[in-house]
Amino acid sequence: DLLAVVRADRRCVVPRSAFEFFVHATGRTIRIGTDPVHITFTKDEARITLDPTPTSTPYHLWAGRGRVAFASYGANGTVFTPGQSFPVYVSPTALIVKFG
């Protein structure tokens, strides 16, 4: 099971293992620190893709760690509570972090 976990600084971290599964599912590569991923937030999920969409925001994977962190989600900028965890699903087109 893949989980995104909220750290003490209230950032939700999607782990490297999720990106490794994602790369395998897409058949594409991600160069850490160079290639951005694009995150689209809704009220109950974050959809991470390799290609931008009109509503996505670019993020870079942490150099040396291969993970990404974000501090809030949704239209109203809902913040996280430290210790929360959320399931991460892998599809051929996106990593999906489910908040609801």
Side-chain angles (χ1 to χ4, degrees):
D1 293 340
L2 298 172
L3 290 176
V5 177
V6 179
R7 295 181 160 206
D9 64 3
R10 296 186 178 268
R11 291 185 301 163
C12 183
V13 177
V14 180
R16 179 184 187 119
S17 57
F19 287 100
E20 289 172 352
F21 281 111
F22 186 44
V23 165
H24 180 72
T26 63
R28 294 173 60 185
T29 60
I30 303 173
R31 292 180 304 223
I32 295 174
T34 304
D35 295 336
V37 295
H38 304 274
I39 305 179
T40 302
F41 298 98
T42 67
K43 67 178 182 152
D44 60 356
E45 73 180 26
R47 182 171 291 271
I48 303 169
T49 60
L50 298 178
D51 298 310
T53 68
T55 58
S56 66
T57 303
Y59 284 78
H60 284 87
L61 301 182
W62 295 357
R65 301 269 186 200
R67 51 184 145 176
V68 73
F70 45 88
S72 63
Y73 67 94
N76 62 353
T78 302
V79 296
F80 299 106
T81 301
Q84 286 180 296
S85 62
F86 305 100
V88 179
Y89 301 96
V90 180
S91 83
T93 58
L95 275 177
I96 303 160
V97 182
K98 288 286 195 177
F99 303 125

